[in-house]
mmCIF file of all heavy atoms in Angstrom:
data_model
loop_
_atom_site.group_PDB
_atom_site.id
_atom_site.type_symbol
_atom_site.label_atom_id
_atom_site.label_comp_id
_atom_site.label_asym_id
_atom_site.label_seq_id
_atom_site.Cartn_x
_atom_site.Cartn_y
_atom_site.Cartn_z
ATOM 1 N N GLU A 46 111.514 95.807 96.796
ATOM 2 C CA GLU A 46 111.234 94.721 95.855
ATOM 3 C C GLU A 46 110.754 93.441 96.523
ATOM 4 O O GLU A 46 110.398 92.476 95.825
ATOM 5 C CB GLU A 46 112.492 94.428 95.028
ATOM 6 C CG GLU A 46 112.941 95.577 94.138
ATOM 7 C CD GLU A 46 113.695 96.671 94.911
ATOM 8 O OE1 GLU A 46 114.069 96.441 96.092
ATOM 9 O OE2 GLU A 46 113.903 97.753 94.325
ATOM 10 N N ASP A 47 110.737 93.425 97.859
ATOM 11 C CA ASP A 47 110.240 92.237 98.570
ATOM 12 C C ASP A 47 108.728 92.082 98.480
ATOM 13 O O ASP A 47 108.202 91.029 98.858
ATOM 14 C CB ASP A 47 110.622 92.311 100.054
ATOM 15 C CG ASP A 47 112.116 92.202 100.297
ATOM 16 O OD1 ASP A 47 112.827 91.695 99.410
ATOM 17 O OD2 ASP A 47 112.565 92.626 101.384
ATOM 18 N N PHE A 48 108.020 93.117 97.995
ATOM 19 C CA PHE A 48 106.571 93.138 98.120
ATOM 20 C C PHE A 48 105.860 93.386 96.787
ATOM 21 O O PHE A 48 105.085 94.342 96.658
ATOM 22 C CB PHE A 48 106.167 94.203 99.141
ATOM 23 C CG PHE A 48 106.867 94.079 100.460
ATOM 24 C CD1 PHE A 48 107.716 95.075 100.903
ATOM 25 C CD2 PHE A 48 106.698 92.948 101.249
ATOM 26 C CE1 PHE A 48 108.371 94.976 102.121
ATOM 27 C CE2 PHE A 48 107.355 92.817 102.468
ATOM 28 C CZ PHE A 48 108.195 93.834 102.904
ATOM 29 N N PRO A 49 106.071 92.526 95.774
ATOM 30 C CA PRO A 49 105.291 92.671 94.544
ATOM 31 C C PRO A 49 103.842 92.271 94.782
ATOM 32 O O PRO A 49 103.545 91.431 95.645
ATOM 33 C CB PRO A 49 105.986 91.710 93.570
ATOM 34 C CG PRO A 49 106.583 90.661 94.453
ATOM 35 C CD PRO A 49 107.003 91.382 95.712
ATOM 36 N N MET A 50 102.949 92.881 94.026
ATOM 37 C CA MET A 50 101.523 92.652 94.236
ATOM 38 C C MET A 50 101.140 91.185 94.144
ATOM 39 O O MET A 50 100.334 90.699 94.956
ATOM 40 C CB MET A 50 100.713 93.459 93.214
ATOM 41 C CG MET A 50 99.202 93.375 93.437
ATOM 42 S SD MET A 50 98.232 93.947 92.022
ATOM 43 C CE MET A 50 98.333 92.497 90.946
ATOM 44 N N ASP A 51 101.692 90.465 93.181
ATOM 45 C CA ASP A 51 101.213 89.099 92.957
ATOM 46 C C ASP A 51 101.603 88.146 94.083
ATOM 47 O O ASP A 51 100.930 87.135 94.305
ATOM 48 C CB ASP A 51 101.710 88.565 91.604
ATOM 49 C CG ASP A 51 103.229 88.519 91.500
ATOM 50 O OD1 ASP A 51 103.911 89.262 92.239
ATOM 51 O OD2 ASP A 51 103.732 87.746 90.660
ATOM 52 N N ARG A 52 102.661 88.457 94.837
ATOM 53 C CA ARG A 52 103.071 87.579 95.936
ATOM 54 C C ARG A 52 102.604 88.083 97.299
ATOM 55 O O ARG A 52 102.675 87.357 98.288
ATOM 56 C CB ARG A 52 104.603 87.437 95.946
ATOM 57 C CG ARG A 52 105.196 86.796 94.693
ATOM 58 C CD ARG A 52 106.510 86.100 94.990
ATOM 59 N NE ARG A 52 107.458 86.957 95.701
ATOM 60 C CZ ARG A 52 108.405 87.694 95.113
ATOM 61 N NH1 ARG A 52 108.503 87.700 93.791
ATOM 62 N NH2 ARG A 52 109.234 88.425 95.829
ATOM 63 N N PHE A 53 102.113 89.306 97.361
ATOM 64 C CA PHE A 53 101.831 89.893 98.665
ATOM 65 C C PHE A 53 100.702 89.197 99.425
ATOM 66 O O PHE A 53 100.773 89.102 100.658
ATOM 67 C CB PHE A 53 101.529 91.388 98.534
ATOM 68 C CG PHE A 53 101.597 92.101 99.850
ATOM 69 C CD1 PHE A 53 102.801 92.584 100.319
ATOM 70 C CD2 PHE A 53 100.464 92.258 100.638
ATOM 71 C CE1 PHE A 53 102.882 93.216 101.552
ATOM 72 C CE2 PHE A 53 100.528 92.890 101.867
ATOM 73 C CZ PHE A 53 101.750 93.369 102.327
ATOM 74 N N PRO A 54 99.646 88.697 98.767
ATOM 75 C CA PRO A 54 98.599 88.015 99.552
ATOM 76 C C PRO A 54 99.123 86.876 100.409
ATOM 77 O O PRO A 54 98.574 86.602 101.489
ATOM 78 C CB PRO A 54 97.623 87.526 98.479
ATOM 79 C CG PRO A 54 97.748 88.558 97.396
ATOM 80 C CD PRO A 54 99.224 88.866 97.353
ATOM 81 N N ARG A 55 100.184 86.214 99.976
ATOM 82 C CA ARG A 55 100.760 85.141 100.790
ATOM 83 C C ARG A 55 101.377 85.711 102.075
ATOM 84 O O ARG A 55 101.239 85.121 103.152
ATOM 85 C CB ARG A 55 101.798 84.363 99.983
ATOM 86 C CG ARG A 55 101.204 83.537 98.855
ATOM 87 C CD ARG A 55 102.164 82.474 98.359
ATOM 88 N NE ARG A 55 103.332 83.033 97.691
ATOM 89 C CZ ARG A 55 103.391 83.360 96.407
ATOM 90 N NH1 ARG A 55 102.313 83.199 95.632
ATOM 91 N NH2 ARG A 55 104.490 83.838 95.877
ATOM 92 N N ARG A 56 102.054 86.847 101.938
ATOM 93 C CA ARG A 56 102.604 87.485 103.142
ATOM 94 C C ARG A 56 101.468 87.916 104.068
ATOM 95 O O ARG A 56 101.541 87.700 105.286
ATOM 96 C CB ARG A 56 103.461 88.684 102.764
ATOM 97 C CG ARG A 56 103.859 89.551 103.970
ATOM 98 C CD ARG A 56 104.705 90.750 103.551
ATOM 99 N NE ARG A 56 104.795 91.740 104.615
ATOM 100 C CZ ARG A 56 105.669 91.709 105.625
ATOM 101 N NH1 ARG A 56 106.523 90.708 105.712
ATOM 102 N NH2 ARG A 56 105.695 92.679 106.533
ATOM 103 N N TYR A 57 100.446 88.522 103.501
ATOM 104 C CA TYR A 57 99.324 89.011 104.314
ATOM 105 C C TYR A 57 98.668 87.852 105.066
ATOM 106 O O TYR A 57 98.332 87.971 106.251
ATOM 107 C CB TYR A 57 98.319 89.717 103.417
ATOM 108 C CG TYR A 57 97.218 90.441 104.156
ATOM 109 C CD1 TYR A 57 97.364 91.759 104.549
ATOM 110 C CD2 TYR A 57 96.015 89.799 104.455
ATOM 111 C CE1 TYR A 57 96.352 92.441 105.223
ATOM 112 C CE2 TYR A 57 94.992 90.460 105.121
ATOM 113 C CZ TYR A 57 95.168 91.778 105.503
ATOM 114 O OH TYR A 57 94.165 92.432 106.172
ATOM 115 N N ALA A 58 98.506 86.729 104.387
ATOM 116 C CA ALA A 58 97.896 85.568 105.036
ATOM 117 C C ALA A 58 98.781 85.049 106.165
ATOM 118 O O ALA A 58 98.286 84.541 107.179
ATOM 119 C CB ALA A 58 97.649 84.467 104.008
ATOM 120 N N ALA A 59 100.100 85.199 106.013
ATOM 121 C CA ALA A 59 101.036 84.677 107.003
ATOM 122 C C ALA A 59 101.182 85.595 108.218
ATOM 123 O O ALA A 59 101.222 85.129 109.363
ATOM 124 C CB ALA A 59 102.402 84.442 106.363
ATOM 125 N N VAL A 60 101.270 86.918 107.993
ATOM 126 C CA VAL A 60 101.562 87.841 109.097
ATOM 127 C C VAL A 60 100.352 88.638 109.543
ATOM 128 O O VAL A 60 100.371 89.273 110.601
ATOM 129 C CB VAL A 60 102.713 88.807 108.727
ATOM 130 C CG1 VAL A 60 103.945 88.038 108.302
ATOM 131 C CG2 VAL A 60 102.287 89.805 107.643
ATOM 132 N N GLY A 61 99.285 88.636 108.736
ATOM 133 C CA GLY A 61 98.095 89.413 109.067
ATOM 134 C C GLY A 61 98.273 90.884 108.744
ATOM 135 O O GLY A 61 99.245 91.307 108.103
ATOM 136 N N ASP A 62 97.341 91.664 109.200
ATOM 137 C CA ASP A 62 97.378 93.108 108.970
ATOM 138 C C ASP A 62 98.277 93.752 110.025
ATOM 139 O O ASP A 62 97.910 93.830 111.199
ATOM 140 C CB ASP A 62 95.955 93.679 109.035
ATOM 141 C CG ASP A 62 95.959 95.199 108.982
ATOM 142 O OD1 ASP A 62 96.947 95.780 108.475
ATOM 143 O OD2 ASP A 62 94.978 95.805 109.449
ATOM 144 N N LEU A 63 99.425 94.236 109.609
ATOM 145 C CA LEU A 63 100.384 94.819 110.551
ATOM 146 C C LEU A 63 99.993 96.222 110.995
ATOM 147 O O LEU A 63 100.712 96.837 111.787
ATOM 148 C CB LEU A 63 101.783 94.823 109.937
ATOM 149 C CG LEU A 63 102.396 93.444 109.689
ATOM 150 C CD1 LEU A 63 103.810 93.585 109.128
ATOM 151 C CD2 LEU A 63 102.405 92.601 110.952
ATOM 152 N N THR A 64 98.877 96.745 110.501
ATOM 153 C CA THR A 64 98.370 98.011 111.026
ATOM 154 C C THR A 64 97.273 97.787 112.075
ATOM 155 O O THR A 64 96.746 98.759 112.626
ATOM 156 C CB THR A 64 97.810 98.917 109.909
ATOM 157 O OG1 THR A 64 96.622 98.333 109.358
ATOM 158 C CG2 THR A 64 98.832 99.123 108.805
ATOM 159 N N ASP A 65 96.953 96.542 112.358
ATOM 160 C CA ASP A 65 95.951 96.240 113.383
ATOM 161 C C ASP A 65 96.424 96.794 114.723
ATOM 162 O O ASP A 65 97.533 96.485 115.175
ATOM 163 C CB ASP A 65 95.743 94.730 113.478
ATOM 164 C CG ASP A 65 94.578 94.363 114.378
ATOM 165 O OD1 ASP A 65 93.812 95.263 114.769
ATOM 166 O OD2 ASP A 65 94.450 93.161 114.692
ATOM 167 N N GLY A 66 95.614 97.627 115.340
ATOM 168 C CA GLY A 66 95.979 98.244 116.605
ATOM 169 C C GLY A 66 96.410 99.692 116.492
ATOM 170 O O GLY A 66 96.580 100.374 117.510
ATOM 171 N N ILE A 67 96.562 100.191 115.268
ATOM 172 C CA ILE A 67 97.042 101.558 115.099
ATOM 173 C C ILE A 67 96.103 102.583 115.733
ATOM 174 O O ILE A 67 96.546 103.613 116.256
ATOM 175 C CB ILE A 67 97.268 101.878 113.600
ATOM 176 C CG1 ILE A 67 97.996 103.213 113.430
ATOM 177 C CG2 ILE A 67 95.969 101.847 112.813
ATOM 178 C CD1 ILE A 67 98.417 103.498 112.001
ATOM 179 N N ASP A 68 94.814 102.300 115.728
ATOM 180 C CA ASP A 68 93.853 103.253 116.290
ATOM 181 C C ASP A 68 93.799 103.220 117.818
ATOM 182 O O ASP A 68 93.126 104.055 118.425
ATOM 183 C CB ASP A 68 92.453 102.993 115.725
ATOM 184 C CG ASP A 68 92.376 103.264 114.235
ATOM 185 O OD1 ASP A 68 92.915 104.291 113.796
ATOM 186 O OD2 ASP A 68 91.784 102.442 113.510
ATOM 187 N N ASP A 69 94.520 102.280 118.415
ATOM 188 C CA ASP A 69 94.482 102.132 119.870
ATOM 189 C C ASP A 69 95.557 102.949 120.574
ATOM 190 O O ASP A 69 95.651 102.904 121.807
ATOM 191 C CB ASP A 69 94.658 100.659 120.251
ATOM 192 C CG ASP A 69 93.574 99.768 119.670
ATOM 193 O OD1 ASP A 69 92.457 100.275 119.432
ATOM 194 O OD2 ASP A 69 93.846 98.570 119.427
ATOM 195 N N HIS A 70 96.364 103.679 119.807
ATOM 196 C CA HIS A 70 97.499 104.387 120.407
ATOM 197 C C HIS A 70 97.551 105.851 120.000
ATOM 198 O O HIS A 70 98.588 106.333 119.530
ATOM 199 C CB HIS A 70 98.804 103.688 120.009
ATOM 200 C CG HIS A 70 98.898 102.267 120.462
ATOM 201 N ND1 HIS A 70 99.291 101.913 121.735
ATOM 202 C CD2 HIS A 70 98.631 101.109 119.807
ATOM 203 C CE1 HIS A 70 99.273 100.589 121.844
ATOM 204 N NE2 HIS A 70 98.878 100.076 120.699
ATOM 205 N N PRO A 71 96.470 106.624 120.188
ATOM 206 C CA PRO A 71 96.559 108.053 119.862
ATOM 207 C C PRO A 71 97.434 108.782 120.876
ATOM 208 O O PRO A 71 97.323 108.558 122.084
ATOM 209 C CB PRO A 71 95.097 108.516 119.931
ATOM 210 C CG PRO A 71 94.458 107.586 120.920
ATOM 211 C CD PRO A 71 95.143 106.258 120.733
ATOM 212 N N GLY A 72 98.312 109.637 120.367
ATOM 213 C CA GLY A 72 99.217 110.359 121.245
ATOM 214 C C GLY A 72 98.925 111.847 121.272
ATOM 215 O O GLY A 72 97.967 112.328 120.659
ATOM 216 N N ARG A 73 99.783 112.578 121.955
ATOM 217 C CA ARG A 73 99.639 114.020 122.095
ATOM 218 C C ARG A 73 100.912 114.700 121.581
ATOM 219 O O ARG A 73 101.991 114.110 121.618
ATOM 220 C CB ARG A 73 99.366 114.387 123.554
ATOM 221 C CG ARG A 73 98.130 113.680 124.125
ATOM 222 C CD ARG A 73 97.716 114.257 125.460
ATOM 223 N NE ARG A 73 97.305 115.658 125.325
ATOM 224 C CZ ARG A 73 96.091 116.053 124.921
ATOM 225 N NH1 ARG A 73 95.151 115.154 124.613
ATOM 226 N NH2 ARG A 73 95.796 117.336 124.844
ATOM 227 N N ILE A 74 100.768 115.935 121.126
ATOM 228 C CA ILE A 74 101.883 116.590 120.449
ATOM 229 C C ILE A 74 102.336 117.865 121.156
ATOM 230 O O ILE A 74 103.005 118.699 120.539
ATOM 231 C CB ILE A 74 101.530 116.900 118.977
ATOM 232 C CG1 ILE A 74 100.350 117.879 118.871
ATOM 233 C CG2 ILE A 74 101.230 115.612 118.223
ATOM 234 C CD1 ILE A 74 100.114 118.376 117.442
ATOM 235 N N GLU A 75 102.006 118.011 122.432
ATOM 236 C CA GLU A 75 102.423 119.229 123.137
ATOM 237 C C GLU A 75 103.934 119.438 123.079
ATOM 238 O O GLU A 75 104.403 120.567 122.908
ATOM 239 C CB GLU A 75 101.971 119.189 124.596
ATOM 240 C CG GLU A 75 100.495 119.503 124.795
ATOM 241 C CD GLU A 75 99.609 118.276 124.767
ATOM 242 O OE1 GLU A 75 100.119 117.202 124.373
ATOM 243 O OE2 GLU A 75 98.425 118.386 125.132
ATOM 244 N N GLN A 76 104.720 118.355 123.209
ATOM 245 C CA GLN A 76 106.173 118.546 123.202
ATOM 246 C C GLN A 76 106.653 119.033 121.840
ATOM 247 O O GLN A 76 107.555 119.875 121.755
ATOM 248 C CB GLN A 76 106.900 117.250 123.580
ATOM 249 C CG GLN A 76 108.413 117.464 123.677
ATOM 250 C CD GLN A 76 109.122 116.361 124.417
ATOM 251 O OE1 GLN A 76 108.492 115.519 125.061
ATOM 252 N NE2 GLN A 76 110.439 116.356 124.357
ATOM 253 N N LEU A 77 106.044 118.542 120.766
ATOM 254 C CA LEU A 77 106.432 119.006 119.437
ATOM 255 C C LEU A 77 106.080 120.480 119.268
ATOM 256 O O LEU A 77 106.841 121.253 118.665
ATOM 257 C CB LEU A 77 105.750 118.166 118.358
ATOM 258 C CG LEU A 77 105.961 116.650 118.422
ATOM 259 C CD1 LEU A 77 105.389 115.990 117.169
ATOM 260 C CD2 LEU A 77 107.423 116.303 118.582
ATOM 261 N N LEU A 78 104.935 120.894 119.798
ATOM 262 C CA LEU A 78 104.546 122.304 119.715
ATOM 263 C C LEU A 78 105.440 123.163 120.609
ATOM 264 O O LEU A 78 105.704 124.335 120.279
ATOM 265 C CB LEU A 78 103.079 122.459 120.090
ATOM 266 C CG LEU A 78 102.095 121.769 119.128
ATOM 267 C CD1 LEU A 78 100.671 121.907 119.634
ATOM 268 C CD2 LEU A 78 102.210 122.340 117.712
ATOM 269 N N ASP A 79 105.936 122.592 121.698
ATOM 270 C CA ASP A 79 106.936 123.310 122.499
ATOM 271 C C ASP A 79 108.209 123.521 121.687
ATOM 272 O O ASP A 79 108.851 124.585 121.774
ATOM 273 C CB ASP A 79 107.273 122.526 123.769
ATOM 274 C CG ASP A 79 106.157 122.578 124.815
ATOM 275 O OD1 ASP A 79 105.267 123.453 124.693
ATOM 276 O OD2 ASP A 79 106.182 121.745 125.735
ATOM 277 N N TRP A 80 108.565 122.541 120.873
ATOM 278 C CA TRP A 80 109.745 122.699 120.009
ATOM 279 C C TRP A 80 109.521 123.794 118.972
ATOM 280 O O TRP A 80 110.458 124.496 118.581
ATOM 281 C CB TRP A 80 110.067 121.372 119.330
ATOM 282 C CG TRP A 80 110.646 120.344 120.254
ATOM 283 C CD1 TRP A 80 111.046 120.532 121.550
ATOM 284 C CD2 TRP A 80 110.879 118.969 119.966
ATOM 285 N NE1 TRP A 80 111.523 119.365 122.078
ATOM 286 C CE2 TRP A 80 111.433 118.375 121.136
ATOM 287 C CE3 TRP A 80 110.681 118.171 118.850
ATOM 288 C CZ2 TRP A 80 111.785 117.031 121.208
ATOM 289 C CZ3 TRP A 80 111.038 116.831 118.910
ATOM 290 C CH2 TRP A 80 111.578 116.266 120.073
ATOM 291 N N VAL A 81 108.269 123.917 118.487
ATOM 292 C CA VAL A 81 107.949 125.007 117.563
ATOM 293 C C VAL A 81 108.266 126.349 118.216
ATOM 294 O O VAL A 81 108.914 127.231 117.616
ATOM 295 C CB VAL A 81 106.467 124.954 117.131
ATOM 296 C CG1 VAL A 81 106.090 126.204 116.337
ATOM 297 C CG2 VAL A 81 106.193 123.697 116.306
ATOM 298 N N GLU A 82 107.810 126.532 119.461
ATOM 299 C CA GLU A 82 108.050 127.790 120.168
ATOM 300 C C GLU A 82 109.535 127.984 120.473
ATOM 301 O O GLU A 82 110.053 129.106 120.392
ATOM 302 C CB GLU A 82 107.232 127.827 121.460
ATOM 303 C CG GLU A 82 105.721 127.812 121.221
ATOM 304 C CD GLU A 82 105.270 128.929 120.291
ATOM 305 O OE1 GLU A 82 105.740 130.071 120.472
ATOM 306 O OE2 GLU A 82 104.452 128.658 119.392
ATOM 307 N N ARG A 83 110.210 126.915 120.818
ATOM 308 C CA ARG A 83 111.652 126.992 121.050
ATOM 309 C C ARG A 83 112.389 127.454 119.793
ATOM 310 O O ARG A 83 113.280 128.311 119.850
ATOM 311 C CB ARG A 83 112.173 125.619 121.486
ATOM 312 C CG ARG A 83 113.678 125.541 121.717
ATOM 313 C CD ARG A 83 114.146 124.101 121.727
ATOM 314 N NE ARG A 83 113.933 123.443 120.443
ATOM 315 C CZ ARG A 83 114.164 122.146 120.213
ATOM 316 N NH1 ARG A 83 114.551 121.362 121.208
ATOM 317 N NH2 ARG A 83 113.956 121.626 119.017
ATOM 318 N N ASP A 84 111.993 126.877 118.649
ATOM 319 C CA ASP A 84 112.624 127.276 117.389
ATOM 320 C C ASP A 84 112.352 128.738 117.069
ATOM 321 O O ASP A 84 113.244 129.471 116.626
ATOM 322 C CB ASP A 84 112.131 126.379 116.241
ATOM 323 C CG ASP A 84 112.671 124.960 116.330
ATOM 324 O OD1 ASP A 84 113.619 124.738 117.117
ATOM 325 O OD2 ASP A 84 112.148 124.080 115.617
ATOM 326 N N LYS A 85 111.104 129.171 117.301
ATOM 327 C CA LYS A 85 110.766 130.580 117.066
ATOM 328 C C LYS A 85 111.642 131.498 117.908
ATOM 329 O O LYS A 85 112.156 132.515 117.426
ATOM 330 C CB LYS A 85 109.294 130.838 117.390
ATOM 331 C CG LYS A 85 108.301 130.299 116.388
ATOM 332 C CD LYS A 85 106.887 130.673 116.827
ATOM 333 C CE LYS A 85 105.817 130.120 115.914
ATOM 334 N NZ LYS A 85 104.456 130.464 116.409
ATOM 335 N N ALA A 86 111.817 131.145 119.186
ATOM 336 C CA ALA A 86 112.631 131.971 120.081
ATOM 337 C C ALA A 86 114.080 132.037 119.617
ATOM 338 O O ALA A 86 114.778 133.036 119.875
ATOM 339 C CB ALA A 86 112.556 131.420 121.499
ATOM 340 N N ALA A 87 114.525 130.996 118.918
ATOM 341 C CA ALA A 87 115.892 130.971 118.392
ATOM 342 C C ALA A 87 115.985 131.583 116.996
ATOM 343 O O ALA A 87 117.043 131.520 116.363
ATOM 344 C CB ALA A 87 116.405 129.537 118.377
ATOM 345 N N GLY A 88 114.887 132.157 116.509
ATOM 346 C CA GLY A 88 114.884 132.783 115.200
ATOM 347 C C GLY A 88 114.622 131.841 114.041
ATOM 348 O O GLY A 88 114.828 132.205 112.878
#
């Protein structure tokens, strides 16, 4: 309830876009896929 549409532009103007930079941090998922195989081995 902190973020109704009519008041949100004021927050945006104050804090900016909090997703700025999201494209600068692509990661890798090999460890998660290792967990997939671990789970399979455990049935």
Side-chain angles (χ1 to χ4, degrees):
E46 296 79 12
D47 293 340
F48 308 116
M50 185 195 79
D51 60 337
R52 298 207 309 266
F53 195 86
R55 291 198 293 274
R56 169 181 165 84
Y57 189 89
V60 305
D62 173 23
L63 294 182
T64 68
D65 188 10
I67 190 172
D68 294 316
D69 300 333
H70 299 278
R73 303 191 64 82
I74 62 171
E75 282 91 348
Q76 184 163 348
L77 305 188
L78 295 176
D79 286 344
W80 288 352
V81 172
E82 296 305 316
R83 178 197 63 185
D84 289 346
K85 286 182 183 178

